[in-house]
């Protein structure tokens, strides 16, 4: 019986689906630590198949590799990014733009209460977009504004139909 490593299984899954690591993102094939390359590629391919933006995952893997991070630490971060992107899509709804999903994932990572993000889904109009408001909210939190204060103010301003410039 032939044994396969944990790393080779995602690569085989991609091959079975008619994909290669390069088909997902050439940067992954060329620059991510070879010990985790197939795992990262499988997660990126999965996100793309789900219609989720994989850029944050790819960037995280590239940065971790460039800085000489431990492969398992990088993979833990990649998995967390993927989980946060999926959760943001769930909270914001299937019609959320890629920018909104990215901003939502960053808001989740900064500790914003998920119920606050759900307000965007439930209260926004069909043509309204809130990526800028969520990005600004996350920025303010990283600068020391309390999470609840930043979230409440930016959500209320955005839901009052303020423009990005406002």
């Amino acid at each position: 019986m032939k044994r396969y490593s944990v790393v080779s299984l995602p690569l085989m899954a991609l091959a079975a689906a008619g994909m290669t690591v390069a088909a997902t993102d050439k940067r992954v094939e060329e620059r991510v630590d070879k010990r985790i390359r197939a795992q990262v590629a499988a997660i990126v391919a999965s996100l793309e198949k789900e219609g989720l933006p994989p850029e944050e995952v790819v960037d995280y893997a590239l940065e971790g590799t460039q800085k000489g991070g431990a492969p398992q630490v990088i993979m833990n971060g990649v998995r967390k990014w993927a989980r946060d992107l999926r959760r943001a899509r769930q909270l914001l709804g299937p019609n959320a733009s890629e920018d909104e999903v990215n901003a939502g994932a960053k808001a989740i990572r900064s500790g914003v209460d998920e119920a606050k993000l759900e307000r965007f889904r439930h209260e926004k109009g069909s043509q309204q977009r809130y990526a800028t408001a969520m990005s600004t909210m996350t920025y303010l939190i990283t600068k020391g504004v309390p999470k609840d204060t930043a979230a409440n103010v930016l959500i209320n301003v955005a839901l009052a139909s303020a423009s990005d410039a406002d």
Side-chain angles (χ1 to χ4, degrees):
M1 180 172 188
K2 193 168 188 173
R3 291 185 170 204
Y4 298 100
S5 73
V6 173
V7 173
S8 66
L9 291 175
L11 187 57
M12 290 183 338
L14 286 173
M19 301 170 69
T20 65
V21 173
T24 301
D25 192 310
K26 192 163 182 73
R27 296 170 301 164
V28 172
E29 180 182 356
E30 293 176 350
R31 297 176 26 210
V32 170
D33 186 309
K34 65 183 178 184
R35 296 170 287 183
I36 59 171
R37 189 174 293 151
Q39 293 172 316
V40 172
I43 290 171
V44 168
S46 175
L47 290 171
E48 288 175 336
K49 185 176 180 180
E50 295 170 45
L52 292 166
E55 192 61 31
E56 296 295 339
V57 169
V58 173
D59 287 348
Y60 187 90
L62 291 171
E63 183 178 351
T65 298
Q66 182 181 5
K67 291 182 176 180
Q72 196 54 45
V73 172
I74 296 169
M75 279 310 304
N76 288 341
V78 163
R79 287 185 191 101
K80 186 171 185 338
W81 263 113
R83 184 183 68 237
D84 293 342
L85 287 164
R86 288 179 175 114
R87 183 66 180 144
R89 167 60 57 83
Q90 183 180 22
L91 292 168
L92 298 171
N95 295 325
S97 70
E98 285 190 5
D99 288 341
E100 289 172 325
V101 171
N102 268 330
K106 289 175 183 177
I108 290 168
R109 294 174 74 81
S110 70
V112 170
D113 181 1
E114 291 182 357
K116 301 217 185 277
L117 293 179
E118 281 184 306
R119 286 186 61 200
F120 282 115
R121 178 181 186 169
H122 297 296
E123 296 182 29
K124 77 175 189 173
S126 63
Q127 300 302 314
Q128 292 173 299
R129 293 292 179 200
Y130 296 114
T132 301
M134 285 186 282
S135 294
T136 303
M137 175 177 57
T138 302
Y139 172 79
L140 292 173
I141 291 168
T142 64
K143 295 299 180 189
V145 175
K147 294 172 192 155
D148 283 344
T149 301
N152 287 332
V153 169
L154 268 296
I155 289 169
N156 288 332
V157 167
L159 291 175
S161 299
S163 69
D164 285 350
D166 293 338

